[in-house]
Amino acid sequence: MLQGWVIASVSFAYLGVLFAIAYFGDKRADAGRSVIANPTIYALSLAVYCTTWTFYGSVGRAASTGIGFLPIYLGPTLMAGLWWFVMLKIIRISKANRITSIADFVSSRYGKSQLLGGLVTVIAVVGIVPYISLQLKAVSNSFTILLHYPEIVMPARTGAQPLLQDSALYIAMILAAFTILFGTRHLDATERHEGMVAAIAFESLVKLLAFVAVGAFVTFGIYNGFGDIFDRAEVVPKLKALMTVADSGASYGSWWSLTFLSMLSIMFLPRQFQIAVVENVNERHLARAIWLFPLYLLIINIFVLPIAVGGMLHFPDGGVDADTFVLTLPMAERQEALALFVFIGGLSAATGMVIVETIALSTMVCNDLVMPVLLRWKALRLHEERDLSGLLLSIRRWAIAGILLLGYIYFRAAGEAYALVGIGLISFAAVAQFAPAIFGGIYWKGGTRQGAIAGLTAGFAVWIYTLLLPSFAKSGWLSLDFIREGLFGMTLLKPQQLFGLTGLDEISHSLFWSMLANIGCYVAVSLRKRPDVVETGQGTLFVDVFRHTEGAESSRFWRGSAQVQDLLPLIGRFLGPERAQEAFLAYARRRGLASIDQLQANADLVHYAETLLAGAIGGASARVMVASVVKEEPLGIDEVMNILDEASQVRAYSRQIEQKSRELEAATGELRAANERLKELDRMKDDFMSTVTHELRTPLTSIRSFSEILLDDPKTNLENRKKFLAIIVKETERLTRLINQVLDMAKIESGNAEWHTAEVDLHEVLEESIAATSSLFSDKRIGLSMNLAGDVPKVKADRDRLIQVMLNLLSNAVKFCDEDRGQVTVRLSVGADAVRVDVEDNGPGIGEADQNTIFEKFRQVGDTMTAKPQGTGLGLPISRQIVEHFGGRLWVESSPGEGATFSFTLPKDGEYDARKEER
Amino acid sequence: MNRSIITGQRLAAVFLLGCVLFNYPLIALFNKPGELFDIPLLYFFLFGAWAILIGLMALAIERRKD
């Protein structure tokens, strides 16, 4: 049995759990081990977007407009795709400037204007307080319904409760206590409430589970799955109509305008700003929220339509309000535990929204409405007060209590009135007014304070006239005449058909006109004059936030003189003297100073103090307070522009320097490589010298020794003399050849060789070379076969040099040919773009490892220590140089035991690399 | 957070895709009686497109290298 005390004690138990989580979260935060430093928790806490308006109201909307409940959740999904740019920028700006509320954000952007902060606060309070009432109403209604279990009674029929028996009053009081406890524990310079966020994330889980539980119960418990429900709906015309939207331009129009509206709401509802921006622990968390938060929305919406259809099938007479289906369906099926769980889910949706929204609003009311007034009120002598932190906290607490009280009063006054029931979208339309000033503020430096004030005022006024007042009229609080007849009887001024615009639903209509007025005034007034000094400075800081994240740059826009003795007490008055001491000491330590006394009161310190203060009392008031204790010299707009120019120049220079240093690095790398190459060449030259001298010494030694024999022993017989002299002559020839080749090589390498380039017929060259070596072949009885292509184009080359190459290849072939059955083949063929010559022998072949070394100077295959070298070791290197000079290639293909084929190509068109010629 | 430009562009592309999917005239294509897998056509299309968008965003976010 669900008696009142059961429901109440379960509710209190639930709230007790919330308190415990929040307490635990705060304790962990104090210990420096944050529980909410987790992207999943961040994404869950963002689901504070889903209030009772989602939990109970989505089904109600679905029952009347079918799929029309979805745009409210599709919009945030789309917007999440842009968060990577937009939300990240807002978070970065807010962290750099210690922004604590949406009012503070707008006022900071437009030159720390107190007026603007106040205006935003008023819009937020007027737009949001009825929404808080709606939450109280939902909890109170669901409580009443549950109380009548197992009967199903609509609260509207039970009449208003007496004040002291009204559950909403107690809910409001408990929420006020919770919010005060965890929302204003201390004045944090960043205004973060970790325990509260942990509790909100938990609430998001509870409401999701509760809604999915009831959805699954209705879909699979009462009916047999989705198919069953939709099949049954098919036969009821009223339900069938819910499966599609009216096929008209207007319904698509309102579909899109609702999507657009919810895109703006997800950014600018004060509770969303509080959770997404102010309570953000680490901007990296945003990444996962971009997809996890839409996923949450998707899951919580899957069962909305089935519940709506199921409810309408279950209660066909319409006696049960569709807004209560979530609760009444389990009740009708006698599911006590589930009904109680649903009630708790609804409670969590309501409390989550109320707590965060109240904290956000109270911060705004305190910093942007009350403090500016109190600080100006000379009679209060606040400027003489030593410690104002207590006062600040009590203002916050009173503001929380006041906002909840306002919400409750509105709830009592409105009851079932349209002004309360329809407030969800009306509220969205109110906060959408912040969009132009904020989007403009973070992407457009030209927006001015006056522009923002004009835009917000105009948009807000149009919103009041086209949405709020008509909702009052429909609630019977105002005469309906002005809706029907227009203001003062002028039809053009009909609030819901302004200037005769028809065909739009009231939300789209109001959204269109208010946005037109808002953006129009914002842009037009902003363009009327140049932004002044402070606006330019703040505009740069906001728009270019990713360029100067350190926050150090804003101090560049300040000039004047200050005393640490003035600043410290000022901060102390608002934060408490100990916290101020700590903060200044931390600042001094960061600068490498031992104590506060050593601090210089320069622009940086003044800026630091102002930011500290902004965290506690808002940017605008902080500006006023700091200005009251320091002597400031106003900067001219030209100076500010100069500073900005300088800054951009400095950035340009630093980019140039980076560029140069990169170039320098590259050049250094090249130089290092060149140096390595030089060293290598030097080493090679030494090697070359020692090899050359070694090669020269061998023939010289034999010439000398045989000459000495001839000289010392005159009795040597003639035969031996002849023999010795022949050796001397042969060695001398070898010496000459060697020296010639070394000279040749040196000439080619140094580029001093003479080249007689002409059109050369390779046939001639080959024939001439073969003729010249024919005696070699016949001496060694080696067969020579030729395979020359017939029509070979002429190539551009030096004829004598080519013959030199051919002679070298042919004599090599002879040298290394098989001794008994020697066979050499010369082939001439024409390729695609080159003419190719192959000289093939059937000698022992060349191992793979040696195929490259044979082209190095003085390298011969075989063991030079034991076997007598068969050449100078310069023939192949020279040949390769020659072929490459004419743009060709010389290489060898061979495998041991199967002979070797030396091939070279020469380009057909004769266009060898001209650069080589020049070198 | 590393402001990886390519990730941002991918997400912006998902945003544009969503704008097209959730808008006239594509909605009108599915705005007719009829069922797919026992689910009303429009309902199926919207939730399907929604799930695909979320999947794409998750893909862009979780597989980025930064």
Side-chain angles (χ1 to χ4, degrees), chain A residues 524-540:
Chain A
V525 175
S526 291
L527 289 179
R528 220 165 47 88
K529 70 176 193 60
R530 263 169 73 163
D532 68 19
V533 178
V534 194
E535 287 163 347
T536 310
Q538 290 298 102
T540 312

Side-chain angles (χ1 to χ4, degrees), chain A residues 67 69-70 73-74 77-82 84-85 88 92 226-227 230-231 234 240 243-247 252 255-256 263 283-284 286-288 290-291 294-295 297-298 301-303 305-306 546, chain B residues 1-5 7-9 11-12 14-15 17-19 22-24 27-35 37-43 46-47 50-51 53-54 57-59 61-62 64 66:
Chain A
I67 212 95
F69 70 96
L70 267 186
Y73 307 96
L74 296 180
T77 303
L78 292 182
M79 197 67 211
L82 295 184
W84 190 268
F85 294 114
L88 185 65
R92 186 71 69 85
F226 292 102
F230 289 125
D231 285 346
E234 273 298 297
K240 195 173 175 215
M243 302 305 155
T244 51
V245 293
D247 201 5
Y252 293 126
W255 175 278
W256 180 243
M263 281 170 66
E283 59 186 33
R284 283 172 178 278
L286 184 65
R288 176 150 329 146
I290 286 178
W291 64 270
L295 185 63
L297 296 181
L298 173 76
N301 276 298
I302 288 177
F303 290 109
L305 203 57
F546 289 116
Chain B
M1 191 189 297
N2 188 332
R3 286 179 70 240
S4 163
I5 294 301
T7 308
Q9 286 173 353
L11 291 169
V14 175
F15 166 79
L17 174 68
C19 288
F22 297 148
N23 212 339
Y24 184 84
I27 285 189
L29 275 187
F30 295 87
N31 190 18
K32 52 184 79 155
E35 294 193 343
F37 304 113
D38 286 342
I39 311 249
L41 197 57
L42 182 61
Y43 191 68
L46 286 173
F47 273 86
W50 196 359
L53 286 189
I54 293 172
M57 290 200 279
L59 212 63
I61 293 283
E62 299 300 330
R64 73 190 195 276
D66 65 9

Side-chain angles (χ1 to χ4, degrees), chain A residues 37-50:
Chain A
N38 175 316
T40 309
I41 298 219
Y42 178 70
L44 275 178
S45 63
L46 281 173
V48 73
Y49 182 69
C50 299

Side-chain angles (χ1 to χ4, degrees), chain A residues 723-741:
Chain A
K723 194 170 139 201
F724 292 162
L725 281 172
I727 291 174
I728 291 173
V729 170
K730 197 174 149 223
E731 289 298 305
T732 320
E733 278 172 357
R734 185 169 157 209
L735 200 55
T736 316
R737 204 164 62 235
L738 191 63
I739 290 170
N740 280 341
Q741 285 192 342

